[in-house]
Amino acid sequence: MKTLTAICALALLAAGAARAEDQVQYVAAKDLGALIPKDALSASVPTGAGATVLVAHRDRTGDVEVHTRVNDELVVRSGKASILIGPTVEGAKQTAPDELRGGTIAGGKTYPLAPGDVIWIPAGLGHQIIVPAGGSFDYLAIKFDAKP
């Protein structure tokens, strides 16, 4: 009986591993930019359930954003920019549930961003990517649900 139980357990593990292997999503670095439709700022990168990863390109400064229930982690791929982050946003408008856009950040802190840099932005903080005139900036935005 122990042998049968062990065989069944191994079969279940093997079946689970095969299913997990079938769910692997791969996009080569050279192909990430091609995911972004023309005239769009970002596109989803293939991921599993419960995750959101965006590949993004900016050639100008973005709007102030506040995500009240989502943390952001940005990973810089190329280009240079800065990001202004602050707790006080004035004049933003709700654009979707738990999402605000526009306005200005009062009393924030600016961080420089260059290839390889990573920055974590907790939910509820206003942030704005500032791209220098004539520049461009490519990054991954990884979004995590904020835990209460």
Side-chain angles (χ1 to χ4, degrees):
M1 186 66 170
K2 285 185 182 180
T3 303
L4 179 59
T5 303
I7 290 171
C8 288
L10 285 173
L12 287 172
L13 285 172
R19 283 193 300 271
E21 187 175 284
D22 292 342
Q23 296 175 13
V24 171
Q25 301 286 329
Y26 173 77
V27 178
K30 66 180 182 59
D31 299 326
L32 280 170
L35 295 174
I36 304 172
K38 187 176 174 134
D39 299 327
L41 294 176
S42 65
S44 293
V45 175
T47 61
T52 301
V53 178
L54 302 174
V55 59
H57 171 81
R58 293 189 184 269
D59 54 14
R60 61 187 178 278
T61 296
D63 289 336
V64 172
E65 301 178 20
V66 180
H67 318 296
T68 61
R69 294 183 181 240
V70 176
N71 303 309
D72 272 344
E73 186 159 11
L74 306 183
V75 180
V76 181
R77 296 179 54 232
S78 65
K80 291 187 178 182
S82 59
I83 188 165
L84 175 62
I85 299 175
T88 305
V89 175
E90 299 168 349
K93 306 277 188 227
Q94 185 170 355
T95 58
D98 304 310
E99 295 286 326
L100 302 167
R101 299 274 172 146
T104 58
I105 296 174
K109 182 174 179 181
T110 301
Y111 299 86
L113 297 173
D117 290 347
V118 177
I119 190 162
W120 170 265
I121 307 162
L125 285 181
H127 52 282
Q128 180 180 31
I129 295 175
I130 302 162
V131 178
S136 66
F137 185 65
D138 295 296
Y139 61 99
L140 295 174
I142 304 156
K143 299 187 173 282
F144 302 88
D145 287 340
K147 304 293 181 198

